[in-house]
Amino acid sequence: MKAVGEVRVAGERSLLLGIGISSVGIGMYVPFSLVFFHHVTGLSFTLVGLVMTVTGVAGLAFMPLAGTAVDRFGAKSVNLVLYGVRALGFALYPLAGSLPAFAAVALVTALADRSFGVVQQSLIGEVAHGVARDRLQASTRALQNAGMGAGALLVSGVLALWGTGGFTYTAWANSLAFALAGLLVSRVRPVRAAAAGSTGPAPAGYRMVLRDRPFLGLTAANFLTALGYSALSVLFPLYLSTWLSAPDSLTGAAFTVNTVLCAGVGVLIAGRVRRSGARRTRSAALGALLFAAAFVGQIVLGTLRPGQGATLVALLVIVVVYTVGELVHSPSGGALSVSAAPEAVRGRYLATYQLSYSLAGALAPSLFTALLSVDGRLPWAVLTVTALGAALALLRLERHLPAEAVYARPPAAAPRTPAHAAA
């Protein structure tokens, strides 16, 4: 429920509905990516996997350009272009039966997919200010989880009715979802913050980002937390099957608990944090501490190795603690990064910040498997240290970040830290 005094931004419902619809489309192919593209294009799994890897890396390299485009043309305009590219890409996938055709379509679509997070975060900063940013962050995450879960269920039903031939229909349905989401987002009205007093021209482009030591520190802290975000999807299944010798069905149960909580109570938890008046740095740090607590729980569980029933209960408790940490950290961390970025170069700032998630996601598989081969508890110990380090870094950065970034609703006596002062 919306708290008293919180004002909706122009076009908020259209924005959120568009995000929800596009998330259904994402849920229809992400859980089945290799199988999905294999059946849609008729190419071998090996070729599909190779193309996905190469285009994914190319997408990472494109993110800085997306940030520049946001600053030049506006987040809404770039957002609409990316929705259009994704809609066209999925409409063409069933027609891309040769390797060159699939690689071309996959490359263009991957560039749009990888850059979309940067642009969407920039759009939230473009349409909302203050506590509205925190609320949109929480609502967006809840809708993304609900939409992806619904998309996965939907494609499961399609496959049950039409078999693998149903993947072609889901590709076209996905295209329609992105097109409809773009139409809805076109109704959003960006607003501009009142121009602050300027003492002269600031360094332009990415040079400005690289000179902003507090923001780079915030990005580094997020990288440490982002490793923890990768734990549930990358480390958890391997840990269950190798170290705990638990049934694979527990992985599905853990994902279900995580998804249901994110979709069902994410907005409520974020609203409680927001109404408490907590500084964004401190609520994000609290989320990191809850991550650390969940990781310590995995170490204890991996040491005791109780029976199957006790393991199930313990894992579910750990997943709940982990998910609450995610729900506390994500809205505050997202709003913190958006609000710490100067409006004129917000796209470049957020492209830099989003790289922390991408790099963590790219590093996680090799890091976790290497540590797991030594001892099943070792990766959880490393994640505990990184989560605690992130919490400490957020607290130390608090006095160096702009007050409008730290405080969702600045108190009358809020300290006026100079914007982007050097640490």
Side-chain angles (χ1 to χ4, degrees), residues 152-175:
L153 288 175
L154 181 61
V155 75
S156 297
V158 169
L159 296 178
L161 289 174
W162 289 293
T164 55
F167 278 123
T168 297
Y169 300 114
T170 60
W172 286 330
N174 207 358
S175 174

Side-chain angles (χ1 to χ4, degrees), residues 41-247:
T41 65
L43 298 173
S44 69
F45 286 112
T46 302
L47 286 177
V48 169
L50 177 62
V51 170
M52 289 178 64
T53 299
V54 172
T55 56
V57 172
L60 288 179
F62 185 74
M63 286 173 63
L65 296 178
T68 301
V70 166
D71 294 333
R72 178 167 297 182
F73 303 109
K76 178 182 174 181
S77 298
V78 180
N79 184 280
L80 294 177
V81 169
L82 296 188
Y83 269 133
V85 169
R86 295 161 99 190
L88 179 62
F90 277 91
L92 292 176
Y93 270 129
L95 308 178
S98 67
L99 178 58
F102 172 57
V105 175
L107 176 60
V108 175
T109 308
L111 298 183
D113 281 341
R114 290 286 186 173
S115 300
F116 192 78
V118 175
V119 178
Q120 182 168 279
Q121 288 290 91
S122 299
L123 182 59
I124 289 176
E126 200 172 86
V127 303
H129 298 286
V131 295
R133 284 179 179 168
D134 301 71
R135 187 182 71 249
L136 282 180
Q137 293 281 352
S139 299
T140 296
R141 189 162 190 84
L143 283 170
Q144 286 173 333
N145 278 277
M148 289 182 68
L153 288 175
L154 181 61
V155 75
S156 297
V158 169
L159 296 178
L161 289 174
W162 289 293
T164 55
F167 278 123
T168 297
Y169 300 114
T170 60
W172 286 330
N174 207 358
S175 174
L176 181 62
F178 285 131
L180 181 55
L183 289 175
L184 287 166
V185 172
S186 68
R187 301 174 61 184
V188 177
R189 300 175 188 173
V191 295
R192 291 287 179 181
S198 176
T199 57
Y206 282 100
R207 289 179 298 158
M208 185 173 181
V209 184
L210 296 176
R211 293 178 184 180
D212 193 337
R213 291 172 58 191
F215 191 86
L216 293 179
L218 183 64
T219 302
N222 192 67
F223 171 77
L224 297 177
T225 311
L227 286 172
Y229 275 92
S230 300
L232 187 62
S233 59
V234 179
L235 174 58
F236 191 78
L238 294 175
Y239 175 71
L240 283 182
S241 61
T242 60
W243 188 257
L244 293 182
S245 300

Side-chain angles (χ1 to χ4, degrees), residues 301-326:
L301 181 61
T303 300
L304 297 179
R305 297 190 187 186
Q308 185 169 331
T311 297
L312 173 60
V313 173
L315 284 173
L316 292 179
V317 171
I318 289 170
V319 170
V320 169
V321 174
Y322 172 90
T323 304
V324 173
E326 178 182 342

